[in-house]
Amino acid sequence: MKSRIVNGLVLILPIFFNSCSDFFEIKRPQETQWTSTATFEQGLNAAYRGIQWTQMGRGYPIYHDFVPSGTARKTVTGAAGLNGDELYYRKFGERLSHLPSWWQEGYKVVTMTNLALDLDKETDGNPFKLDVNGTDYQQNYLRQVGENYFCRAYAYFNLIKIFAAPYDHSGNNNIPTIPLKTSAAYSKEDVLNEKIGTREEVYQQIINDFKKAKEILPDKFVLNSWNNVPGYEAGRGNKWAATAYLGKVYFLMGKYAEAKAEFDELIQYAESTGTYSLEEAPKEAFNKERAEVFPKESIYEFNGGYLQGAFEQRNNYVYAGMVMGLRFRDSNGDDLSNIAENGQGTVISTWNSFAIAYTAMQQMGWMKDPMNGDYTITPEAEADRRYQQVYHMLLPMPAGTPGDNIPKGSEGYTIYESFPGHAHLTTPHVYVDKFFRGETPFGRNSKFPLVRLADIYLLRAWIKWKAGDTQGAADDLNTVWNRANPSNPDKHTASNVTHESIYAEYLREMTGEGWTTDFIFGTQMEAPQGDDPLTPPVSPPYAEWKWPIPPSEEGLNPNYQSRED
């Protein structure tokens, strides 16, 4: 059997080359590492950690979507955190400080999953010589293989969306983009000559991997033996997570018929089995803090939760939520509660740098005419459960507030801009309030939906509208609308459905969840200017919408010279 190598990222290879000239002689015999499904799980856990609990996860992709989308409004006078100014002003040529880690962690996931999938191929799908009819093979090993395909596809999807321009629906996609590796590196030469995949090749690989994951993964995990722990499946891919992502990839590429087929299958399963459903209250998707408690609407989730409620201070929370959301990580509890004690009730985020853009609020129909000074919240907003439950407006600091600060526990703390960093704001702002809503003392580790069923209905609605099925589009839109507006049902009809009405519904439902730019690119609409007059709109094919590859990577691989930048 071929010897295994702990293949680090190209980014970190110079360290090894400088310190150990025969790095690739440090072998890792497979027999001493992965000897059973229990030990095979170690590599899979490392892959999930990479896509969830590093800078490729932890809310960074959500932040990268919201801030430059034209639906965010900057709330601070100085530089926004997490490279917020570069994102907000769409300075795509800038090198962002957190992206080298994003790149590194993404390719660590690719490497780990390649090692596992190489092993599967080299041993004819049974490296541990299991009984192919037995529980361990059927319910553990096969699922693990499917999860490795899922994690590899997920990593590549996140990498190419950051480091390459969006898929061109009608142009040239044979442009070199990022390294495309479907097998682990087994020599120094393998690493230094990694193939740079074209945009077409990388997207096709993502499709192939999600298809394979969908084929292998079960509807639900069956827990047994070493994995029989409630909450084990939290944050892990199953058949329907793979289906959702496959549909989303197709949608982004403009392959609408293929996307609709995936969405149809997922929605049919959800409606016929009840496994996934739209819960009555929109906030229910965001207020779970325990790994074993699953929101009915979450198809795939960021797992910041605790197994069986065990408590310890960990750092697996949606870090970027503090910069783009209302609450700080020390918030506890679903409701807005103003309790003076630290760590109790709601803690307004003093790190916040972004609210919802006024142009987006007007597009939603939730603010009357803010760009012309009328910040009146409309009756439609006041009646909408989403506005009531997962967004929150703060008023300007009252004149004469001592020290331009309203301490926690004081009157007005959750009504006004209560900290000095926002004291300059003179108009009302509406904030995303979808983070850190779990019960005390677990609030900071609240889980977060990465794909929700409502999103799938809305994307399918747009595809139906595009194909001329306006009644079908209205039906899907009303499925989402009626949950939030039970006293005013069926707003959407075959005669009033337009791209703009679907976009408005998408913003009402999905703002701050990481998918707005995918909707923009997938529908080929103009990326809006937003509130800032110096930030121009961006039209298809959005060729400049990408961030530079870390320079140390480019210096190691001569094949980068063929990449178009």
Side-chain angles (χ1 to χ4, degrees):
M1 183 182 294
K2 187 182 294 182
S3 295
R4 304 266 151 206
I5 303 164
V6 182
N7 177 24
L9 263 273
V10 178
L11 181 68
I12 61 174
L13 283 176
I15 299 172
F16 289 95
F17 291 155
N18 291 334
S19 61
C20 181
S21 60
D22 60 345
F23 169 70
F24 281 95
E25 295 304 316
I26 303 176
K27 303 294 178 76
R28 174 177 131 178
Q30 181 62 41
E31 291 81 2
T32 65
Q33 295 296 321
W34 291 338
T35 59
S36 66
T37 55
T39 55
F40 198 44
E41 185 81 357
Q42 295 168 356
L44 190 54
N45 286 342
Y48 276 121
R49 181 188 179 278
I51 66 177
Q52 294 238 350
W53 295 354
T54 69
Q55 285 177 311
M56 193 174 67
R58 300 194 69 197
Y60 280 84
I62 299 169
Y63 183 74
H64 263 259
D65 171 78
F66 178 58
V67 177
S69 66
T71 64
R73 178 178 179 85
K74 192 178 172 188
T75 57
V76 291
T77 54
L82 303 185
N83 298 119
D85 281 24
E86 290 84 353
L87 288 163
Y88 185 66
Y89 298 113
R90 298 174 178 170
K91 297 179 180 179
F92 295 115
E94 298 289 328
R95 296 191 181 276
L96 309 189
S97 60
H98 56 273
L99 288 186
S101 294
W102 189 322
W103 177 277
Q104 177 180 339
E105 295 299 338
Y107 277 103
K108 281 183 180 178
V109 174
V110 170
T111 293
M112 188 58 67
T113 53
N114 279 342
L115 286 167
L117 295 172
D118 284 353
L119 176 64
D120 180 67
K121 293 171 185 175
E122 292 165 8
T123 60
D124 295 324
N126 194 359
F128 313 128
K129 298 180 173 54
L130 302 173
D131 176 1
V132 296
N133 296 313
T135 297
D136 199 19
Y137 185 84
Q138 291 290 328
Q139 297 178 357
N140 292 332
Y141 180 73
L142 291 180
R143 170 184 53 76
Q144 289 171 322
V145 171
E147 287 182 275
N148 275 289
Y149 279 111
F150 177 86
C151 289
R152 186 170 71 179
Y154 189 99
Y156 271 129
F157 193 35
N158 275 269
L159 286 164
I160 198 165
K161 288 204 297 179
I162 291 296
F163 296 105
Y167 192 88
D168 192 334
H169 288 200
S170 58
N172 179 20
N173 290 296
N174 294 316
I175 299 169
T177 54
I178 61 174
L180 178 58
K181 305 182 289 183
T182 57
S183 179
Y186 297 99
S187 70
K188 184 188 303 184
E189 289 71 27
D190 287 347
V191 173
L192 297 182
N193 292 283
E194 290 172 342
K195 171 185 171 62
I196 307 300
T198 66
R199 188 159 52 204
E200 184 69 41
E201 289 171 331
V202 176
Y203 270 95
Q204 287 303 318
Q205 186 60 50
I206 294 167
I207 287 171
N208 292 341
D209 280 355
F210 276 135
K211 279 185 174 180
K212 194 70 174 176
K214 176 184 174 182
E215 173 189 334
I216 298 173
L217 288 171
D219 295 344
K220 295 180 180 180
F221 288 9
V222 178
L223 305 184
N224 60 84
S225 62
W226 51 266
N227 62 29
N228 192 12
V229 179
Y232 167 84
E233 60 270 56
R236 304 176 73 114
N238 62 19
K239 174 179 179 177
W240 300 108
T243 302
Y245 275 102
L246 183 57
K248 280 182 160 289
V249 174
Y250 280 136
F251 185 84
L252 186 59
M253 296 172 72
K255 297 182 181 297
Y256 304 130
E258 292 89 339
K260 183 176 180 297
E262 302 301 325
F263 297 154
D264 284 346
E265 188 177 355
L266 173 54
I267 289 171
Q268 193 279 330
Y269 174 79
E271 292 181 343
S272 64
T273 67
T275 303
Y276 306 109
S277 62
L278 303 186
E279 295 181 82
E280 181 178 347
K283 68 180 183 177
E284 292 299 323
F286 305 97
N287 59 15
K288 306 300 186 290
E289 77 283 352
R290 299 178 187 270
E292 64 269 24
V293 179
F294 297 96
K296 293 284 286 184
E297 195 174 341
S298 286
I299 297 166
Y300 186 61
E301 61 183 354
F302 169 84
N303 177 27
Y306 290 102
L307 286 173
Q308 298 180 310
F311 179 72
E312 57 178 306
Q313 287 294 330
R314 297 192 295 184
N315 290 322
N316 51 320
Y317 53 83
V318 187
Y319 184 85
M322 296 182 290
V323 185
M324 60 171 285
L326 177 77
R327 305 183 193 213
F328 193 64
R329 63 189 169 204
D330 291 336
S331 284
N332 286 292
D334 187 46
D335 296 325
L336 284 170
S337 55
N338 184 11
I339 302 172
E341 290 81 5
N342 289 333
Q344 298 295 315
T346 301
V347 182
I348 300 296
S349 177
T350 58
W351 292 13
N352 175 274
S353 297
F354 298 98
I356 301 173
Y358 287 142
T359 47
M361 289 295 295
Q362 190 165 355
Q363 177 79 38
M364 295 162 153
W366 281 1
M367 195 172 274
K368 191 170 182 181
D369 191 10
M371 297 305 288
N372 290 307
D374 189 343
Y375 307 101
T376 305
I377 296 299
T378 65
E380 182 176 279
E382 297 285 7
D384 195 302
R385 286 175 172 172
R386 293 166 295 195
Y387 180 79
Q388 296 168 8
Q389 296 180 14
V390 294
Y391 304 103
H392 184 71
M393 185 172 72
L394 292 178
L395 301 173
M397 191 84 75
T401 302
D404 293 327
N405 182 50
I406 301 175
K408 191 175 188 299
S410 300
E411 184 178 356
Y413 177 72
T414 60
I415 298 173
Y416 299 101
E417 299 283 4
S418 54
F419 67 97
H422 283 184
H424 66 284
L425 299 177
T426 59
T427 56
H429 286 77
V430 176
Y431 295 88
V432 175
D433 189 19
K434 298 180 178 181
F435 307 100
F436 311 120
R437 299 189 60 158
E439 291 301 316
T440 185
F442 305 100
R444 73 164 54 196
N445 297 101
S446 302
K447 301 199 292 182
F448 190 86
L450 296 177
V451 180
R452 284 200 292 125
L453 184 59
D455 187 4
I456 305 304
Y457 277 112
L458 295 174
L459 294 179
R460 190 174 73 167
W462 189 90
I463 295 172
K464 288 179 176 180
W465 167 82
K466 180 71 172 177
D469 180 9
T470 55
Q471 184 58 57
D475 291 342
D476 278 349
L477 289 170
N478 284 329
T479 297
V480 177
W481 168 267
N482 290 352
R483 183 264 294 268
N485 295 273
S487 63
N488 180 30
D490 300 330
K491 170 184 178 176
H492 302 282
T493 67
S495 62
N496 66 18
V497 172
T498 63
H499 167 83
E500 288 72 22
S501 69
I502 299 172
Y503 178 53
E505 193 66 39
Y506 200 84
L507 292 181
R508 287 188 283 262
E509 185 70 31
M510 296 299 300
T511 292
E513 296 185 46
W515 294 108
T516 303
T517 54
D518 281 46
F519 182 91
I520 290 169
F521 301 151
T523 63
Q524 296 287 278
M525 63 178 280
E526 183 178 75
Q529 179 179 36
D531 291 2
D532 189 271
L534 300 179
T535 303
V538 181
S539 299
Y542 324 100
E544 301 303 315
W545 204 296
K546 62 180 183 291
W547 301 95
I549 285 175
S552 55
E553 296 289 328
E554 294 177 317
L556 280 171
N557 190 340
N559 293 328
Y560 280 113
Q561 297 173 8
S562 64
R563 185 178 187 268
E564 180 178 280
D565 280 316

